[in-house]
CSV table of all heavy atoms in Angstrom, one decimal:
chain,number,residue,atom,x,y,z
A,142,GLU,N,86.5,79.7,77.2
A,142,GLU,CA,86.8,79.7,75.8
A,142,GLU,C,85.5,80.1,75.0
A,142,GLU,O,84.4,79.7,75.5
A,142,GLU,CB,87.2,78.3,75.3
A,142,GLU,CG,88.7,78.0,75.8
A,142,GLU,CD,89.1,76.7,75.2
A,142,GLU,OE1,88.7,76.3,74.1
A,142,GLU,OE2,90.0,76.0,75.9
A,143,VAL,N,85.6,80.8,73.9
A,143,VAL,CA,84.4,81.2,73.1
A,143,VAL,C,84.6,80.5,71.8
A,143,VAL,O,85.6,80.5,71.1
A,143,VAL,CB,84.5,82.7,73.0
A,143,VAL,CG1,83.3,83.1,72.1
A,143,VAL,CG2,84.4,83.4,74.3
A,144,TYR,N,83.4,79.9,71.4
A,144,TYR,CA,83.4,79.2,70.1
A,144,TYR,C,82.5,79.9,69.2
A,144,TYR,O,81.7,80.8,69.5
A,144,TYR,CB,82.8,77.8,70.3
A,144,TYR,CG,83.8,76.9,71.1
A,144,TYR,CD1,83.6,76.7,72.5
A,144,TYR,CD2,84.9,76.3,70.5
A,144,TYR,CE1,84.5,75.9,73.2
A,144,TYR,CE2,85.8,75.5,71.2
A,144,TYR,CZ,85.5,75.4,72.6
A,144,TYR,OH,86.4,74.6,73.3
A,145,GLN,N,82.7,79.5,67.9
A,145,GLN,CA,81.9,80.3,66.8
A,145,GLN,C,80.3,80.3,67.0
A,145,GLN,O,79.6,81.1,66.5
A,145,GLN,CB,82.2,79.7,65.5
A,145,GLN,CG,81.7,78.3,65.2
A,145,GLN,CD,82.2,77.8,63.8
A,145,GLN,OE1,83.1,78.3,63.2
A,145,GLN,NE2,81.5,76.8,63.4
A,146,ASP,N,79.8,79.3,67.8
A,146,ASP,CA,78.4,79.2,67.9
A,146,ASP,C,78.0,79.9,69.3
A,146,ASP,O,76.9,79.7,69.7
A,146,ASP,CB,77.9,77.7,67.9
A,146,ASP,CG,78.5,76.9,68.9
A,146,ASP,OD1,79.5,77.3,69.6
A,146,ASP,OD2,78.0,75.7,69.1
A,147,ASP,N,78.9,80.6,69.9
A,147,ASP,CA,78.6,81.3,71.2
A,147,ASP,C,77.5,82.3,70.9
A,147,ASP,O,77.6,83.1,70.0
A,147,ASP,CB,79.9,82.0,71.7
A,147,ASP,CG,79.6,82.7,73.0
A,147,ASP,OD1,79.5,82.1,74.1
A,147,ASP,OD2,79.3,84.0,72.8
A,148,GLU,N,76.5,82.2,71.7
A,148,GLU,CA,75.3,83.1,71.5
A,148,GLU,C,75.6,84.6,71.5
A,148,GLU,O,75.2,85.3,70.6
A,148,GLU,CB,74.3,82.7,72.6
A,148,GLU,CG,72.8,83.1,72.3
A,148,GLU,CD,71.9,82.7,73.4
A,148,GLU,OE1,71.7,81.5,73.6
A,148,GLU,OE2,71.3,83.6,74.0
A,150,LEU,N,78.6,85.9,70.9
A,150,LEU,CA,79.5,86.2,69.7
A,150,LEU,C,78.6,86.3,68.5
A,150,LEU,O,78.8,87.3,67.7
A,150,LEU,CB,80.5,85.2,69.6
A,150,LEU,CG,81.6,85.3,68.5
A,150,LEU,CD1,82.3,86.6,68.7
A,150,LEU,CD2,82.4,84.1,68.4
A,151,VAL,N,77.6,85.4,68.3
A,151,VAL,CA,76.8,85.4,67.1
A,151,VAL,C,75.9,86.7,67.0
A,151,VAL,O,75.8,87.3,66.1
A,151,VAL,CB,76.0,84.1,67.0
A,151,VAL,CG1,74.9,84.2,65.9
A,151,VAL,CG2,76.8,82.9,66.8
Side-chain angles (χ1 to χ4, degrees):
E142 292 184 28
V143 177
Y144 294 97
Q145 68 184 17
D146 61 348
D147 180 80
E148 200 173 296
L150 182 64
V151 169

